[in-house]
Amino acid sequence: MSESQRFQLGTIGALSLSVVSSVSIVICNKALISTLGFTFATTLTSWHLLVTFCSLHVALWMKLFEHKPFDPRAVMGFGILNGTSIGLLNLSLGFNSVGFYQMTKLAIIPCTVLLETLFFRKIFSRSIQFSLLILLCGVGIATVTDLQLNALGSFLSLLAVITTCVAQIMTNTIQKKFKVSSTQLLYQSCPYQAMTLFIVGPFLDGLLTNQNVFAFRYTPQVLFFIVLSCLIAVSVNFSTFLVIGKTSAVTYQVLGHLKTCLVLAFGYVLLHDPFRWRNILGISIAVVGMVIYSYCCTLESQQKANEASAPLAQAKESESDPLLSVENGAAILGDGGVQKAPVWNSNKDLHA
């Protein structure tokens, strides 16, 4: 199996793991929040990250991956930024309608494209842009129901979009700049993310729910779903860093909207949530956009691979053909001088 085939196989595995784990944790958290009344989302996320760090520490002790320290300031800044973006997204949901919150999540893709174009000179083809437009229209039709605006909610949503975009772009750039794997980056940034959310989580949850997380009645059923949610979160956090590292922040957001469509479908099938014609239409349009996006990305990656391999193939061909080497080359002498090799004349050989 070639290196490119192994990379493609690893990417498919990372995407599949991300979809399965994310849909699973949404269903688990929906039961925990809606059915059991545990509405402390930010504090729960801090527990997710704490369990993820402990799991990775055990994996490190078992020598399943190698610890690779790098710039501590970059790690701390990245971890705090990631934790802040999660808290801002939860605040955005608390101070806005569900419809406006979904619009906030949709705005992450065009904002990411804009930032990568301005600061990283990344070029997105018209076909990629068109597929993203179809995707966003489809998800918008399926999920956005109302758009109630308020100044504070809009400001929080703007901050949430910016911090989320920057954090996801940094996830990709840090892995490439410092040559660290997704596991190594997650292991080093997890404590800062968990600390940030553990400090602000109870305050934010109290502000949004008017309840105290420490005064909640933790029944065995609630504890079971909290533990299950934390275990699934290990896979969610790992696959998130893995997907962004292997692909890009935009691709991860496209994958996120695929998860949204799957959650809507599973909610209708398993939980009998209300499902209208606009949900079906929106999901169908979104799936078309995802297919076009995947096809365009595959096509462009193949073109880049062909362009990169063409000069190497020409160089190997010239090295393997002695006639081309004699006609075009020169013999290098031991004293540093260059002596032209005799040119072969095919017409002269024939007349002889």
Coordinates of all heavy atoms in Angstrom, one line a residue, residues 252-332:
Y252 N -13.6 20.2 8.3 CA -14.2 19.8 9.6 C -15.6 20.4 9.8 O -16.5 19.8 10.4 CB -13.2 20.2 10.7 CG -13.8 19.9 12.1 CD1 -13.9 18.6 12.6 CD2 -14.3 20.9 12.9 CE1 -14.5 18.3 13.8 CE2 -14.9 20.7 14.2 CZ -14.9 19.4 14.6 OH -15.5 19.1 15.8
Q253 N -15.7 21.7 9.4 CA -17.0 22.3 9.5 C -18.1 21.7 8.6 O -19.2 21.5 9.0 CB -16.9 23.8 9.2 CG -16.3 24.6 10.4 CD -17.1 24.6 11.6 OE1 -18.3 24.6 11.6 NE2 -16.4 24.5 12.8
V254 N -17.6 21.3 7.4 CA -18.5 20.6 6.5 C -19.0 19.3 7.1 O -20.2 18.9 7.1 CB -17.9 20.3 5.1 CG1 -18.7 19.4 4.3 CG2 -17.6 21.6 4.4
L255 N -18.0 18.6 7.8 CA -18.4 17.3 8.5 C -19.3 17.6 9.6 O -20.2 16.8 9.9 CB -17.1 16.7 9.0 CG -17.2 15.3 9.6 CD1 -17.5 14.3 8.5 CD2 -15.9 14.9 10.3
G256 N -19.1 18.8 10.3 CA -20.0 19.1 11.4 C -21.5 19.3 10.9 O -22.4 18.9 11.7
H257 N -21.7 19.8 9.8 CA -23.0 20.0 9.3 C -23.6 18.6 8.8 O -24.8 18.4 8.9 CB -23.1 21.0 8.1 CG -22.8 22.4 8.6 ND1 -23.5 23.0 9.6 CD2 -21.8 23.3 8.2 CE1 -23.0 24.2 9.8 NE2 -22.0 24.4 8.9
L258 N -22.8 17.7 8.4 CA -23.2 16.4 8.1 C -23.8 15.7 9.4 O -24.8 15.1 9.4 CB -22.1 15.5 7.5 CG -22.4 14.0 7.4 CD1 -23.6 13.8 6.5 CD2 -21.1 13.3 6.9
K259 N -23.0 16.0 10.5 CA -23.5 15.4 11.8 C -24.8 16.0 12.2 O -25.7 15.3 12.7 CB -22.5 15.8 12.9 CG -21.1 15.2 12.6 CD -20.1 15.7 13.6 CE -18.7 15.5 13.3 NZ -17.7 16.2 14.1
T260 N -25.0 17.3 11.9 CA -26.3 18.0 12.2 C -27.4 17.3 11.5 O -28.5 17.0 12.1 CB -26.2 19.5 11.8 OG1 -25.2 20.1 12.6 CG2 -27.5 20.2 12.2
C261 N -27.2 17.0 10.2 CA -28.3 16.4 9.4 C -28.5 14.9 9.9 O -29.7 14.5 10.0 CB -27.8 16.3 7.9 SG -27.7 17.9 7.1
L262 N -27.5 14.2 10.3 CA -27.7 12.9 10.9 C -28.4 12.9 12.2 O -29.2 12.1 12.5 CB -26.3 12.2 11.0 CG -25.6 11.8 9.7 CD1 -24.2 11.2 10.0 CD2 -26.4 10.8 9.0
V263 N -28.1 13.9 13.0 CA -28.7 14.0 14.3 C -30.2 14.3 14.1 O -31.1 13.7 14.8 CB -28.1 15.2 15.2 CG1 -29.0 15.5 16.4 CG2 -26.7 14.8 15.6
L264 N -30.6 15.2 13.2 CA -32.0 15.4 12.9 C -32.7 14.1 12.4 O -33.8 13.8 12.9 CB -32.1 16.5 11.8 CG -31.8 17.9 12.2 CD1 -31.8 18.8 10.9 CD2 -32.8 18.4 13.2
A265 N -32.0 13.3 11.6 CA -32.6 12.1 11.1 C -32.7 11.1 12.2 O -33.8 10.4 12.3 CB -31.7 11.5 9.9
F266 N -31.7 10.9 13.0 CA -31.8 10.0 14.2 C -32.8 10.4 15.2 O -33.5 9.6 15.8 CB -30.4 9.9 14.8 CG -29.5 8.9 14.1 CD1 -28.3 9.3 13.5 CD2 -29.8 7.5 14.1 CE1 -27.5 8.4 12.9 CE2 -28.9 6.6 13.5 CZ -27.8 7.1 12.9
G267 N -32.9 11.7 15.4 CA -33.9 12.2 16.3 C -35.3 11.9 15.9 O -36.2 11.5 16.7
Y268 N -35.6 11.9 14.5 CA -36.9 11.5 14.0 C -37.1 10.0 14.1 O -38.2 9.6 14.5 CB -37.0 12.0 12.6 CG -38.2 11.5 11.9 CD1 -39.5 12.0 12.2 CD2 -38.2 10.5 10.9 CE1 -40.6 11.6 11.6 CE2 -39.3 10.0 10.3 CZ -40.6 10.6 10.6 OH -41.7 10.1 10.0
V269 N -36.1 9.2 13.8 CA -36.3 7.8 13.8 C -36.3 7.2 15.2 O -37.2 6.4 15.5 CB -35.1 7.1 13.0 CG1 -35.2 5.6 13.1 CG2 -35.2 7.6 11.5
L270 N -35.4 7.6 16.1 CA -35.2 7.0 17.4 C -36.1 7.7 18.5 O -36.7 7.1 19.3 CB -33.8 7.0 17.8 CG -32.8 6.2 16.9 CD1 -31.4 6.4 17.4 CD2 -33.2 4.8 16.8
L271 N -36.1 9.0 18.4 CA -36.8 9.8 19.5 C -38.1 10.4 19.1 O -38.8 11.1 19.9 CB -35.8 10.9 20.0 CG -34.4 10.5 20.4 CD1 -33.6 11.7 20.8 CD2 -34.5 9.6 21.6
H272 N -38.5 10.1 17.8 CA -39.8 10.6 17.3 C -39.9 12.1 17.4 O -41.0 12.6 17.7 CB -40.9 9.9 18.0 CG -40.8 8.4 17.9 ND1 -41.0 7.7 16.7 CD2 -40.6 7.5 18.9 CE1 -40.8 6.4 17.0 NE2 -40.6 6.2 18.3
D273 N -38.8 12.8 17.1 CA -38.9 14.3 17.1 C -39.7 14.7 15.9 O -39.8 14.0 14.8 CB -37.5 14.9 17.0 CG -36.7 14.7 18.3 OD1 -37.4 14.5 19.3 OD2 -35.5 14.9 18.2
P274 N -40.4 15.9 15.9 CA -41.2 16.4 14.8 C -40.3 16.6 13.6 O -39.2 17.1 13.7 CB -41.8 17.7 15.3 CG -41.0 18.1 16.5 CD -40.5 16.8 17.1
F275 N -40.7 16.2 12.4 CA -40.0 16.3 11.2 C -40.9 16.8 10.1 O -41.9 16.2 9.7 CB -39.5 14.9 10.8 CG -38.1 14.8 10.1 CD1 -37.0 15.3 10.7 CD2 -38.0 14.4 8.8 CE1 -35.8 15.3 10.1 CE2 -36.8 14.3 8.2 CZ -35.6 14.8 8.8
R276 N -40.5 18.0 9.5 CA -41.3 18.6 8.5 C -40.7 18.5 7.1 O -39.6 18.1 7.0 CB -41.6 20.1 8.9 CG -42.2 20.3 10.2 CD -42.4 21.7 10.6 NE -43.1 21.9 11.9 CZ -42.4 22.0 13.0 NH1 -41.1 21.8 13.0 NH2 -43.1 22.1 14.1
W277 N -41.5 18.9 6.1 CA -41.0 18.8 4.8 C -39.7 19.7 4.6 O -38.8 19.3 3.8 CB -42.1 19.3 3.8 CG -42.4 20.7 3.9 CD1 -43.4 21.3 4.6 CD2 -41.7 21.8 3.2 NE1 -43.4 22.7 4.5 CE2 -42.4 23.0 3.6 CE3 -40.7 21.9 2.3 CZ2 -42.0 24.2 3.1 CZ3 -40.3 23.1 1.8 CH2 -41.0 24.3 2.3
R278 N -39.6 20.8 5.3 CA -38.4 21.7 5.1 C -37.2 21.0 5.7 O -36.1 21.2 5.2 CB -38.7 23.0 5.8 CG -38.9 22.9 7.3 CD -39.0 24.3 7.9 NE -37.7 25.0 7.8 CZ -37.6 26.3 8.0 NH1 -38.6 27.1 8.3 NH2 -36.4 26.9 7.9
N279 N -37.3 20.1 6.7 CA -36.2 19.4 7.2 C -35.7 18.4 6.1 O -34.5 18.3 5.9 CB -36.6 18.6 8.5 CG -37.0 19.5 9.6 OD1 -38.1 19.3 10.1 ND2 -36.2 20.4 10.0
I280 N -36.6 17.7 5.5 CA -36.3 16.7 4.4 C -35.6 17.5 3.3 O -34.6 17.0 2.8 CB -37.5 15.9 4.0 CG1 -38.1 15.2 5.2 CG2 -37.1 15.0 2.8 CD1 -39.4 14.5 4.8
L281 N -36.2 18.6 2.8 CA -35.7 19.3 1.7 C -34.3 19.9 2.1 O -33.3 19.8 1.3 CB -36.6 20.5 1.4 CG -36.1 21.5 0.3 CD1 -36.0 20.7 -1.0 CD2 -37.1 22.7 0.2
G282 N -34.1 20.5 3.3 CA -32.8 21.0 3.7 C -31.7 20.0 3.8 O -30.6 20.2 3.3
I283 N -32.1 18.8 4.4 CA -31.1 17.8 4.5 C -30.7 17.3 3.1 O -29.5 17.0 2.8 CB -31.6 16.6 5.3 CG1 -31.7 17.1 6.8 CG2 -30.7 15.4 5.2 CD1 -32.3 16.0 7.7
S284 N -31.6 17.1 2.2 CA -31.3 16.7 0.8 C -30.4 17.6 0.1 O -29.4 17.2 -0.5 CB -32.6 16.5 0.0 OG -33.5 15.6 0.7
I285 N -30.7 18.9 0.2 CA -29.8 20.0 -0.4 C -28.4 19.9 0.2 O -27.4 20.0 -0.5 CB -30.4 21.4 -0.3 CG1 -31.8 21.4 -1.1 CG2 -29.5 22.4 -0.8 CD1 -32.5 22.7 -0.9
A286 N -28.4 19.8 1.5 CA -27.1 19.8 2.2 C -26.2 18.6 1.8 O -25.0 18.7 1.6 CB -27.3 19.8 3.7
V287 N -26.9 17.4 1.6 CA -26.1 16.2 1.2 C -25.6 16.4 -0.2 O -24.4 16.0 -0.5 CB -27.1 15.0 1.3 CG1 -26.4 13.8 0.6 CG2 -27.4 14.6 2.7
V288 N -26.4 17.1 -1.1 CA -25.9 17.4 -2.4 C -24.6 18.3 -2.4 O -23.6 18.0 -3.0 CB -27.0 18.0 -3.3 CG1 -26.4 18.5 -4.6 CG2 -28.1 17.0 -3.6
G289 N -24.7 19.3 -1.5 CA -23.5 20.2 -1.3 C -22.3 19.4 -0.8 O -21.2 19.7 -1.2
M290 N -22.5 18.5 0.1 CA -21.4 17.7 0.7 C -20.8 16.8 -0.4 O -19.5 16.7 -0.4 CB -21.9 16.9 1.9 CG -22.3 17.7 3.1 SD -23.0 16.6 4.4 CE -23.9 17.8 5.3
V291 N -21.6 16.2 -1.2 CA -21.1 15.3 -2.3 C -20.3 16.1 -3.3 O -19.2 15.7 -3.6 CB -22.3 14.6 -3.0 CG1 -21.8 13.9 -4.2 CG2 -23.0 13.6 -2.0
I292 N -20.8 17.3 -3.7 CA -20.1 18.2 -4.6 C -18.7 18.6 -4.0 O -17.7 18.6 -4.6 CB -20.9 19.4 -5.0 CG1 -22.2 18.9 -5.8 CG2 -20.1 20.3 -5.9 CD1 -23.1 20.0 -6.1
Y293 N -18.8 19.0 -2.7 CA -17.6 19.5 -2.0 C -16.5 18.3 -1.9 O -15.3 18.6 -2.2 CB -17.9 19.9 -0.6 CG -16.7 20.3 0.2 CD1 -16.1 21.6 0.1 CD2 -16.2 19.5 1.2 CE1 -15.0 22.0 0.8 CE2 -15.1 19.8 1.9 CZ -14.5 21.1 1.8 OH -13.4 21.4 2.5
S294 N -17.0 17.1 -1.6 CA -16.1 16.0 -1.5 C -15.4 15.7 -2.9 O -14.2 15.4 -3.0 CB -16.8 14.8 -1.0 OG -17.3 15.0 0.3
Y295 N -16.3 15.7 -3.9 CA -15.8 15.5 -5.3 C -14.8 16.5 -5.7 O -13.7 16.2 -6.3 CB -17.0 15.4 -6.3 CG -16.6 15.3 -7.7 CD1 -16.2 14.1 -8.2 CD2 -16.6 16.4 -8.6 CE1 -15.8 13.9 -9.5 CE2 -16.2 16.3 -9.9 CZ -15.8 15.1 -10.4 OH -15.4 14.9 -11.7
C296 N -15.1 17.8 -5.5 CA -14.2 18.9 -5.9 C -12.8 18.8 -5.1 O -11.8 19.0 -5.7 CB -14.8 20.2 -5.6 SG -16.3 20.6 -6.7
C297 N -12.9 18.5 -3.8 CA -11.7 18.3 -3.0 C -10.8 17.2 -3.5 O -9.6 17.3 -3.6 CB -12.0 18.1 -1.5 SG -12.6 19.6 -0.7
T298 N -11.5 16.1 -3.8 CA -10.7 14.9 -4.3 C -10.1 15.2 -5.7 O -8.9 14.9 -5.9 CB -11.7 13.7 -4.5 OG1 -12.3 13.4 -3.2 CG2 -10.9 12.5 -4.9
L299 N -10.8 15.9 -6.5 CA -10.3 16.2 -7.9 C -9.1 17.2 -7.8 O -8.1 17.0 -8.4 CB -11.5 16.9 -8.7 CG -11.3 16.9 -10.2 CD1 -11.3 15.5 -10.8 CD2 -12.4 17.7 -10.8
E300 N -9.2 18.2 -6.9 CA -8.1 19.1 -6.8 C -6.9 18.5 -6.1 O -5.8 18.8 -6.5 CB -8.6 20.3 -5.9 CG -9.6 21.2 -6.7 CD -10.0 22.5 -5.9 OE1 -9.3 22.7 -4.8 OE2 -10.9 23.2 -6.3
S301 N -7.1 17.6 -5.2 CA -6.0 16.9 -4.6 C -5.3 16.0 -5.6 O -4.0 15.9 -5.6 CB -6.4 16.1 -3.3 OG -7.3 15.1 -3.7
Q302 N -6.0 15.4 -6.4 CA -5.4 14.5 -7.5 C -4.6 15.4 -8.5 O -3.5 15.0 -8.9 CB -6.5 13.7 -8.2 CG -7.1 12.6 -7.4 CD -8.2 11.9 -8.1 OE1 -8.7 12.3 -9.1 NE2 -8.7 10.8 -7.5
Q303 N -5.2 16.6 -8.8 CA -4.5 17.5 -9.7 C -3.2 17.9 -9.1 O -2.1 18.0 -9.8 CB -5.4 18.6 -10.1 CG -6.5 18.3 -11.0 CD -7.5 19.4 -11.3 OE1 -7.4 20.5 -10.6 NE2 -8.4 19.3 -12.2
K304 N -3.2 18.3 -7.8 CA -2.0 18.7 -7.2 C -0.9 17.6 -7.1 O 0.3 17.8 -7.3 CB -2.3 19.2 -5.8 CG -3.1 20.6 -5.7 CD -3.4 21.0 -4.3 CE -4.2 22.3 -4.3 NZ -4.5 22.7 -2.9
A305 N -1.4 16.4 -6.8 CA -0.5 15.2 -6.8 C 0.1 15.0 -8.1 O 1.3 14.7 -8.2 CB -1.3 14.0 -6.3
N306 N -0.7 15.1 -9.2 CA -0.1 14.9 -10.6 C 0.9 16.0 -10.9 O 1.9 15.7 -11.5 CB -1.3 14.9 -11.6 CG -2.2 13.7 -11.4 OD1 -1.8 12.6 -10.9 ND2 -3.4 13.8 -11.9
E307 N 0.6 17.2 -10.6 CA 1.5 18.3 -10.8 C 2.8 18.2 -10.1 O 3.9 18.5 -10.6 CB 0.9 19.7 -10.5 CG -0.3 20.1 -11.4 CD -1.0 21.3 -10.9 OE1 -0.6 21.9 -9.9 OE2 -2.0 21.7 -11.6
A308 N 2.7 17.6 -8.9 CA 3.9 17.5 -8.1 C 4.8 16.3 -8.5 O 6.0 16.3 -8.5 CB 3.5 17.2 -6.6
S309 N 4.1 15.2 -9.1 CA 4.8 14.1 -9.5 C 5.4 14.2 -10.9 O 6.3 13.4 -11.3 CB 3.9 12.8 -9.4 OG 2.8 13.0 -10.3
A310 N 4.9 15.1 -11.7 CA 5.3 15.2 -13.1 C 6.8 15.6 -13.2 O 7.5 14.9 -14.0 CB 4.5 16.3 -13.8
P311 N 7.3 16.6 -12.5 CA 8.8 16.9 -12.6 C 9.6 15.7 -12.1 O 10.7 15.4 -12.7 CB 9.0 18.1 -11.7 CG 7.6 18.7 -11.6 CD 6.7 17.6 -11.6
L312 N 9.2 15.0 -11.1 CA 10.0 13.8 -10.6 C 10.0 12.7 -11.7 O 11.1 12.1 -11.9 CB 9.3 13.3 -9.3 CG 9.4 14.2 -8.1 CD1 8.6 13.6 -6.9 CD2 10.8 14.5 -7.7
A313 N 8.9 12.5 -12.3 CA 8.9 11.5 -13.4 C 9.8 11.8 -14.5 O 10.5 11.0 -15.1 CB 7.4 11.3 -13.9
Q314 N 9.8 13.1 -14.9 CA 10.7 13.5 -16.0 C 12.2 13.4 -15.6 O 13.0 13.0 -16.4 CB 10.4 15.0 -16.4 CG 9.1 15.2 -17.0 CD 8.8 16.6 -17.3 OE1 9.5 17.5 -17.0 NE2 7.6 16.9 -18.0
A315 N 12.5 13.7 -14.4 CA 13.9 13.6 -13.9 C 14.3 12.1 -13.9 O 15.4 11.8 -14.3 CB 14.0 14.2 -12.5
K316 N 13.4 11.2 -13.4 CA 13.8 9.8 -13.4 C 13.9 9.3 -14.8 O 14.8 8.4 -15.1 CB 12.7 9.0 -12.7 CG 12.7 9.3 -11.1 CD 11.6 8.4 -10.5 CE 11.7 8.6 -9.0 NZ 10.6 7.8 -8.3
E317 N 13.1 9.8 -15.7 CA 13.2 9.3 -17.1 C 14.5 9.7 -17.8 O 15.1 8.9 -18.5 CB 12.0 9.8 -17.9 CG 11.9 9.3 -19.4 CD 10.8 9.9 -20.1 OE1 9.9 10.5 -19.5 OE2 10.7 9.6 -21.3
S318 N 14.9 10.9 -17.5 CA 16.2 11.4 -18.1 C 17.4 10.7 -17.5 O 18.4 10.4 -18.2 CB 16.4 12.9 -17.9 OG 16.4 13.2 -16.5
E319 N 17.3 10.3 -16.2 CA 18.4 9.6 -15.6 C 18.5 8.2 -16.1 O 19.6 7.6 -16.2 CB 18.2 9.6 -14.0 CG 18.4 10.9 -13.4 CD 18.1 10.9 -11.9 OE1 17.7 9.8 -11.4 OE2 18.2 12.0 -11.3
S320 N 17.4 7.5 -16.4 CA 17.4 6.1 -16.8 C 17.7 6.0 -18.3 O 18.0 4.9 -18.7 CB 16.0 5.5 -16.5 OG 15.0 6.2 -17.2
D321 N 17.7 7.0 -19.1 CA 18.0 6.9 -20.5 C 19.4 7.4 -20.8 O 19.7 8.6 -20.8 CB 17.0 7.8 -21.3 CG 17.0 7.5 -22.8 OD1 18.1 7.0 -23.3 OD2 16.0 7.7 -23.5
P322 N 20.4 6.5 -21.1 CA 21.8 6.9 -21.3 C 22.0 7.7 -22.5 O 22.8 8.6 -22.6 CB 22.5 5.5 -21.5 CG 21.4 4.6 -21.9 CD 20.2 5.0 -21.3
L323 N 21.1 7.6 -23.6 CA 21.3 8.4 -24.8 C 21.0 9.9 -24.4 O 21.7 10.8 -24.9 CB 20.3 7.9 -25.9 CG 20.7 6.5 -26.5 CD1 19.6 6.2 -27.5 CD2 22.0 6.6 -27.1
L324 N 19.9 10.1 -23.6 CA 19.6 11.5 -23.3 C 20.7 12.1 -22.4 O 21.0 13.2 -22.5 CB 18.2 11.5 -22.5 CG 17.0 11.3 -23.4 CD1 15.8 11.2 -22.5 CD2 16.8 12.3 -24.4
S325 N 21.3 11.2 -21.6 CA 22.3 11.7 -20.7 C 23.5 12.1 -21.4 O 24.2 13.1 -21.1 CB 22.7 10.6 -19.6 OG 21.6 10.2 -18.9
V326 N 23.9 11.3 -22.5 CA 25.1 11.6 -23.3 C 24.8 12.9 -24.1 O 25.7 13.7 -24.3 CB 25.5 10.4 -24.2 CG1 26.5 10.8 -25.1 CG2 25.9 9.3 -23.3
E327 N 23.6 13.0 -24.7 CA 23.4 14.1 -25.6 C 23.3 15.4 -24.8 O 23.6 16.5 -25.3 CB 22.1 13.9 -26.4 CG 22.2 12.8 -27.4 CD 20.9 12.5 -28.2 OE1 19.9 13.2 -27.8 OE2 21.0 11.7 -29.1
N328 N 22.7 15.4 -23.6 CA 22.5 16.6 -22.9 C 23.5 16.9 -21.8 O 23.6 18.0 -21.2 CB 21.1 16.6 -22.2 CG 20.0 16.4 -23.3 OD1 20.1 17.0 -24.4 ND2 18.9 15.7 -22.9
G329 N 24.3 15.9 -21.4 CA 25.1 16.0 -20.2 C 26.5 16.4 -20.5 O 26.9 16.7 -21.6
A330 N 27.3 16.5 -19.5 CA 28.7 16.9 -19.6 C 29.5 16.1 -18.5 O 29.0 15.9 -17.4 CB 28.9 18.4 -19.3
A331 N 30.7 15.6 -18.9 CA 31.5 14.8 -18.0 C 32.2 15.7 -17.0 O 32.9 16.6 -17.5 CB 32.5 14.0 -18.8
I332 N 32.1 15.5 -15.7 CA 32.8 16.3 -14.7 C 34.1 15.7 -14.4 O 34.2 14.6 -14.0 CB 31.9 16.4 -13.5 CG1 30.5 17.0 -13.8 CG2 32.6 17.3 -12.4 CD1 29.6 17.1 -12.6

